[in-house]
Amino acid sequence: MKTYVSLLSTVLMGAGILSVSLPAQADNLLGLYREAIRADAAYLGAQADAQASREAKPQALARLLPNMSFSGNRSKHSITRPSFTDPFSGIHFTPPTEKYDTHTYALGLTQPVFRAGSIVAWKQSQAVVEGAEADLLWAEQQVGTRLSEAYFNVLLAEANLEVTKAQRDAYLTHLDYAQKAFQTGAGTRTDIDEARSQLDLAAAHTIEQQYQLNYASDELKVFVDRPLASLARLAPERIELVSPDPGRFEYWVQKAEEANPRLAALRASVEAASLQVRKAQSGHLPTVDFVAQQVRSEELSFQANYQTSSKYKDKVYSLRFEMPIFSGGETASQVRQARAELDKNRQRLEEGRRQIGVMVRKEFDGVAQGVHWVHAYEQAVKSAEQALASTRKGFMGGARTTLDILTAEQNLATAKRDLNRGRFDYVLSRLRLLSLVGELNEAEIARFNGWLEEL
């Protein structure tokens, strides 16, 4: 008997140490969501990715705007010619070394007039940015979903641990009663063994569920990167047990296809890939640029006794036309590659659309059937409680055995666990369904937060 008490005390002590180390201020779903929006590494990474993608737009626009450049060159020249002898006079000449400096400065402007590839790239950049914004919105939706799942997983682990502890305490009491009854001759050794067997099992379940609670808490900490306080628990009387409105599955599928951020991002990728085909095809088209250039040049020549200088300015205005004729097959290859990428993105969109449909079906049924499941589980708990009470009365009257009581205790614990799971499954199905149709925002998180106990 002391062995079981010592084992269970160790488990409880570990749980006590965990609770003592937590901050005094309690946490709730809404508060953690607001922190996660500022601290979740996955969401912050999505924000950075979106910011990087937004730069595609000004970069594409820059290829359509004027380009100005300035260049300068300063050079020193020294020319030494070989000496020679005049064949008529026989006089030997050594020409003087000629030295001169040149200074050249040029200011140029190029304005694209017709570049089909740049025009398509500008349109493509808009599709890229739209896809990045949709991905960011999807990441925000996922913060709410993942955080809620982690939060309610902790609450479920806590609830299941409490059920197991209550079950363990009942088995411990029953074991004590069986031992005393055996000592007075009113019980049997079998009663003690059965009670001890159930107590052993409950002790093992307590250790396992404490581990699951610790692990679930660690998963929740990832979102805010700090120790957690005690969490506000789900208040069963506050849960809004209602079916999806409207109750037509087709409505929710259509809404998801229209508003789901992930599908919006995939559609944007298809648009960008389609424009990439046009961009590759533009490699066969000519380009026309307006070019304006002004050049200033000065030359200083140094002779033995004097210095000369010459300066000039040159202004050039032109239209530059370039027509590609043959690129070794590179342009044709780029077109084929772009078409293959377009087909890949179309298939990804179709795959995503089908997956979203399956997910909507799952969560729609989870909400619609969850209402009935929760009510059924609530009734199952009431029935199990009544059955346990009746079994105990029957045992006192000699009509029931120890095994009957242990079985009734087990049935009650199972019913309570099923009820806990049914409630949390219902809540999470509603959250996921809102996320799939792009409506899981802070206001909705606050609404679900209202289903928790007051802090």
Side-chain angles (χ1 to χ4, degrees), residues 120-418:
V120 175
W122 161 245
K123 296 179 180 179
Q124 187 182 38
S125 70
Q126 299 179 56
V128 169
V129 173
E130 288 175 6
E133 298 295 349
D135 277 332
L136 180 59
L137 180 57
W138 179 243
E140 182 179 346
Q141 300 283 312
Q142 290 301 294
V143 171
T145 302
R146 292 186 295 110
L147 174 70
S148 299
E149 289 176 350
Y151 185 95
F152 288 115
N153 280 342
V154 174
L155 296 189
L156 178 59
E158 289 178 344
N160 287 338
L161 182 59
E162 287 184 359
V163 170
T164 302
K165 286 180 178 179
Q167 187 181 17
R168 176 211 61 203
D169 292 342
Y171 292 153
L172 190 61
T173 301
H174 196 75
L175 176 60
D176 183 61
Y177 175 83
Q179 288 175 332
K180 291 178 179 178
F182 178 73
Q183 292 172 357
T184 60
T188 65
R189 184 68 188 181
T190 302
D191 294 338
I192 296 176
D193 292 340
E194 289 173 347
R196 181 170 291 160
S197 174
Q198 293 298 328
L199 181 60
D200 288 341
L201 187 60
H205 286 167
T206 302
I207 297 172
E208 178 186 0
Q209 289 173 6
Q210 183 64 60
Y211 165 77
Q212 291 176 351
L213 173 58
N214 294 342
Y215 180 75
S217 298
D218 288 340
E219 285 191 317
L220 184 57
K221 290 177 189 176
V222 170
F223 289 90
V224 293
D225 193 28
R226 66 168 176 82
L228 296 173
S230 57
L231 302 182
R233 298 192 174 188
L234 191 64
E237 68 278 3
R238 295 186 178 185
I239 302 176
E240 301 171 8
L241 287 172
V242 294
S243 298
D245 184 25
R248 293 182 297 103
F249 166 70
E250 294 76 15
Y251 166 84
W252 292 93
V253 170
Q254 180 180 356
K255 191 172 184 180
E257 290 184 355
E258 293 173 354
N260 182 270
R262 184 56 186 154
L263 290 182
L266 290 173
R267 282 193 292 269
S269 69
V270 171
E271 177 65 17
S274 177
L275 291 169
Q276 182 63 29
V277 175
R278 292 175 54 188
K279 182 179 176 182
Q281 291 172 333
S282 69
H284 295 296
L285 301 178
T287 60
V288 180
D289 297 328
F290 170 75
V291 180
Q293 189 176 41
Q294 178 174 301
V295 180
R296 290 191 177 198
S297 183
E298 179 179 4
E299 181 177 311
L300 299 175
S301 179
F302 304 96
Q303 302 295 332
N305 299 319
Y306 63 90
Q307 174 180 322
T308 61
S309 173
S310 61
K311 300 180 180 180
Y312 70 89
K313 295 181 181 180
D314 186 16
K315 294 182 179 180
V316 179
Y317 303 97
S318 63
L319 279 177
R320 184 171 60 201
F321 175 88
E322 184 175 348
M323 179 67 186
I325 297 176
F326 180 66
S327 59
E330 180 182 7
T331 301
S333 175
Q334 290 174 344
V335 172
R336 293 193 300 270
Q337 181 184 32
R339 285 174 175 165
E341 288 291 329
L342 173 59
D343 185 60
K344 182 188 75 173
N345 282 277
R346 284 173 174 167
Q347 296 305 322
R348 287 179 58 197
L349 174 59
E350 179 61 20
E351 179 189 15
R353 187 188 67 80
R354 296 177 185 179
Q355 289 178 343
I356 292 297
V358 172
M359 295 168 67
V360 170
R361 166 59 76 183
K362 178 177 180 293
E363 306 309 336
F364 177 86
D365 289 344
V367 176
Q369 301 301 324
V371 175
H372 305 295
W373 291 339
V374 171
H375 288 318
Y377 291 142
E378 288 173 342
Q379 184 58 46
V381 170
K382 292 179 181 178
S383 298
E385 290 174 340
Q386 182 61 44
L388 177 60
S390 299
T391 302
R392 284 174 175 169
K393 289 181 181 179
F395 177 78
M396 298 303 294
R400 294 289 184 175
T401 66
T402 300
L403 181 59
D404 293 330
I405 293 181
L406 296 176
T407 301
E409 292 280 3
Q410 179 64 43
N411 290 340
L412 176 58
T414 300
K416 287 182 176 180
R417 292 192 191 97
D418 289 341

Side-chain angles (χ1 to χ4, degrees), residues 13-58:
M13 185 179 297
I17 293 174
L18 178 64
S19 63
V20 169
S21 66
L22 295 176
Q25 181 65 38
D27 287 315
N28 63 15
L29 181 62
L30 181 59
L32 291 176
Y33 173 77
R34 288 171 174 169
E35 284 190 57
I37 288 294
R38 299 189 300 269
D40 180 56
Y43 181 64
L44 294 179
Q47 283 184 318
D49 186 59
Q51 183 58 41
S53 297
R54 292 186 189 112
E55 296 303 321
K57 209 168 182 177

Side-chain angles (χ1 to χ4, degrees), residues 84-98:
F84 64 95
T85 301
D86 188 332
F88 298 102
S89 63
I91 300 175
H92 186 75
F93 290 94
T94 301
T97 299
E98 297 181 17

